[in-house]
Amino acid sequence: MQSRHLMMIAIGGTIGTGIFLSAGSAIALAGPGSALLSYVVVGMFVYSVVIALGEMSAMFPVSGAFSVFGSRFVSPALGFTLGWNYWFQCELTAAAIILQFWAPQVQAWEWALVIIVPVFLLQLIHVRAYGESEYWFALVKVLMIIVFIFVGLIYDWGGIKGHPGPGLSNFQKGQAFIGGFQNFAQTFVYAFYSFGGVELVAVAAGESVRPHKTVPRAIKATFLRIVLFYILTILTIGLCINWQDPTLLRAADESDVTASPLTVVFQRAGFGAAEHVVNAVLLTAVLSATNSCFYASSRMLLSLARSGQAPRIFGWVDGRGVPVPALIMALAVSFVTFLTTIWGEGLVFTWLLNLTGISALLVWCSIGLISLRFRAAYRAQGRSLLDLPYTQPLFPLLPAGVVILALLMFIAEGYSAVKEQPLQAENVVATYIGVALYVVLYLGYAIYERYGLGIRQHFVPLLEVDLQTDAVWKPGEGAMIRDHEGKDEEEAAVTVTPGWRTWLSHAATHIY
């Protein structure tokens, strides 16, 4: 994949139903102030995760990313757990629901086939087909979010004639923070679900051109994504829609596209056909999310197979480098959308929300631990930081902060579930269902490793950590290669006559 592909994957490649359907639930639960604060906290947390992961991915661009790093820098059990935990996450149910908006007589599982099969066939072509399609899918979503923010803020400030906006009324008279800390803690799961997928850029690093340059640029672009697409979006929704508005809950609980906060805001701003336009963009968002899901799950399964942690057949790729068996497995699992016609869309969406949200938190917490362990091994083996293509700032504050904040969020989630009245056991189970999966995978592989493989040493010793395999360059070559590339770029800039195309290219380099 080219640099522009990786940039757009980082900026908008995983914007899906989390921000379009479930974000409003956070506002309805705890008020716009609590929801905004929750998204800010999780945004800072996630950005720290991406920076820590980017440092390793730029140096070791492998498709398995954090799964490979977990096995290599900490223990095989951790890599196994992260790989399978990530593989289980999926976001395919909403595509069928969105299409039912236009043709309600067609069953959800029938629409699922219409969505899933073409995306699967697209993935079989080549990784560039994924990169190019994801570039345009993401571009549509990016433009939609930008337009929504502008329209929403203009409407809220009363800038649309005949459609007076609420101004700051939704944040006044005690409406900004509802339900205290308990409700605030519950909003985290919605933020986790919305932010899920930011680590995809690291998974894609293994198939990108010059990853030591493209990965750091994509990592930096993640900050733009967090501020623009999540924090400003949740702020706009909170300003325009009151926390007591029933549409906020109906969007997620009933997967009702007409109740999506984006649709509601556009309609109240006077755009009558908003529900059809927004629904079309939502469909694009879900196509993108489905596309990314197939890519990420197949590459993760490929990595697991090549590490000996999955059946060997899934490690096979065809002449174009496409992991066909892993893609077929992803296709089979994607038919979980059939559940939408058995138990109902809202119930399935809610359980997937909890499973994906907590699983994402576990993955991110683990990345913080892996980063600390990686640096410890790097220092123990006498390596120079100058050899790293990208060095995270403020080390070890960022990865240590990730671990501490993740633990606090786990405590907050548990406290919220237990304090809820009346106490419902299924809510506590739903909150920690992702933790149960994580623990079962980790302990299961640790036991297999100990008694099945006869390996007594659980953690990889620091001096035995592999810092050479898959590295973009050998020790001591980093500064020399960067200097050589810098001179080549300067010479290319001198030989090219400045023109409008040159200036646009120069601007795109800094924007992307």
Side-chain angles (χ1 to χ4, degrees):
M1 284 184 284
Q2 301 297 320
S3 176
R4 66 184 180 91
H5 298 144
L6 208 61
M7 292 303 117
M8 195 55 76
I9 289 172
I11 294 174
T14 52
I15 299 174
T17 55
I19 195 68
F20 287 124
L21 292 179
S22 67
S25 298
I27 296 174
L29 177 66
S34 291
L36 180 61
L37 181 59
S38 174
Y39 273 70
V40 169
V41 171
V42 176
M44 293 171 57
F45 172 79
V46 168
Y47 188 53
S48 299
V49 170
V50 173
I51 287 177
L53 182 58
E55 180 181 72
M56 296 179 287
S57 297
M59 184 66 178
F60 306 100
V62 292
S63 293
F66 46 86
S67 173
V68 173
F69 301 152
S71 293
R72 187 179 296 181
F73 305 145
V74 184
S75 72
L78 181 60
F80 174 86
T81 303
L82 291 176
W84 283 106
N85 185 77
Y86 190 73
W87 184 81
F88 281 134
Q89 298 179 31
C90 199
E91 187 185 2
L92 299 177
T93 56
I97 299 161
I98 287 172
L99 282 169
Q100 278 188 308
F101 171 76
W102 286 308
Q105 69 277 11
V106 182
Q107 294 296 315
W109 68 268
E110 294 172 314
W111 277 127
L113 291 176
V114 174
I115 291 295
I116 293 171
V117 173
V119 173
F120 168 75
L121 295 176
L122 181 68
Q123 292 276 336
L124 288 177
I125 299 174
H126 195 276
V127 68
R128 282 196 297 271
Y130 162 72
E132 195 64 36
S133 61
E134 192 57 39
Y135 177 86
W136 293 107
F137 281 151
L139 184 60
V140 171
K141 294 184 293 182
V142 166
L143 294 176
M144 178 64 180
I145 292 294
I146 292 174
V147 170
F148 167 74
I149 291 171
F150 275 106
V151 170
L153 293 178
I154 292 172
Y155 159 70
D156 179 65
W157 296 336
I160 300 178
K161 187 177 180 179
H163 298 276
L168 296 176
S169 62
N170 293 333
F171 279 79
Q172 296 172 344
K173 297 180 181 179
Q175 296 186 96
F177 301 92
I178 306 298
F181 179 77
Q182 178 184 338
N183 286 22
F184 170 66
Q186 287 180 297
T187 62
F188 283 128
V189 70
Y190 296 104
F192 295 145
Y193 184 73
S194 296
F195 280 108
V198 294
E199 66 287 330
L200 182 61
V201 65
V203 177
E207 296 180 271
S208 63
V209 176
R210 296 197 299 174
H212 64 282
K213 299 194 70 174
T214 57
V215 171
R217 288 174 59 194
I219 294 302
K220 295 171 185 176
T222 304
F223 179 75
L224 173 65
R225 173 185 169 186
I226 289 172
V227 173
L228 181 61
F229 302 125
Y230 292 108
I231 296 177
L232 288 183
T233 298
I234 202 74
L235 173 62
T236 304
I237 295 172
L239 286 170
C240 296
I241 305 177
N242 188 270
W243 70 277
Q244 294 175 305
D245 195 307
T247 61
L248 291 175
L249 286 175
R250 197 168 80 238
D253 292 347
E254 301 176 17
S255 297
D256 186 352
V257 176
T258 62
S260 168
L262 278 73
T263 305
V264 171
V265 171
F266 277 123
Q267 286 179 331
R268 293 178 182 177
F271 297 91
E275 59 187 32
H276 294 283
V277 175
V278 173
N279 195 64
V281 177
L282 285 175
L283 177 58
T284 303
V286 175
L287 281 170
S288 172
T290 305
N291 199 25
S292 296
C293 179
F294 269 107
Y295 177 80
S297 61
S298 62
R299 268 52 179 188
M300 188 59 73
L301 187 56
L302 169 69
S303 176
L304 288 167
R306 291 187 169 181
S307 299
Q309 296 174 335
R312 205 180 311 175
I313 183 63
F314 296 120
W316 182 83
V317 298
D318 64 12
R320 299 182 302 276
V322 178
V324 178
L327 274 172
I328 293 175
M329 188 62 178
L331 175 67
V333 174
S334 70
F335 288 130
V336 72
T337 47
F338 291 161
L339 297 177
T340 61
T341 60
I342 301 174
W343 294 313
E345 293 89 342
L347 179 61
V348 174
F349 189 82
T350 301
W351 277 85
L352 283 178
L353 178 74
N354 282 281
L355 177 60
T356 305
I358 296 300
S359 294
L361 178 58
L362 286 164
V363 168
W364 297 335
C365 179
S366 300
I367 290 172
L369 291 171
I370 293 170
S371 176
L372 292 170
R373 179 80 175 178
F374 163 69
R375 277 294 195 96
Y378 209 78
R379 185 171 57 251
Q381 296 186 24
R383 299 292 186 102
S384 171
L385 293 180
L386 295 176
D387 274 331
L388 294 176
Y390 174 69
T391 305
Q392 60 174 300
L394 305 177
F395 183 87
L397 294 181
L398 293 185
V402 164
V403 176
I404 294 172
L405 192 55
L407 293 176
L408 292 176
M409 288 181 180
F410 275 121
I411 295 172
E413 286 289 315
Y415 172 83
S416 175
V418 172
K419 291 291 289 184
E420 188 174 358
Q421 296 297 327
L423 178 63
Q424 295 179 326
E426 58 267 26
N427 289 342
V428 179
V429 173
T431 299
Y432 285 120
I433 186 173
V435 178
L437 175 63
Y438 189 97
V439 171
V440 168
L441 288 171
Y442 192 97
L443 292 181
Y445 190 85
I447 293 172
Y448 166 73
E449 186 180 47
R450 178 72 178 265
Y451 299 102
L453 300 179
I455 300 176
R456 300 289 179 179
Q457 189 168 268
H458 183 71
F459 295 103
V460 180
L462 293 178
L463 294 178
E464 296 179 17
V465 168
D466 183 4
L467 298 176
Q468 189 59 43
T469 304
D470 302 313
V472 292
W473 48 53
K474 296 179 181 179
E477 292 183 347
M480 180 180 65
I481 292 176
R482 278 194 292 262
D483 183 61
H484 179 71
E485 289 180 340
K487 290 181 179 178
D488 288 344
E489 291 176 357
E490 289 177 3
E491 291 175 0
V494 170
T495 56
V496 174
T497 302
W500 66 272
R501 292 183 179 179
T502 304
W503 290 113
L504 284 179
S505 177
H506 182 69
T509 300
H510 288 84
I511 293 173
Y512 281 150

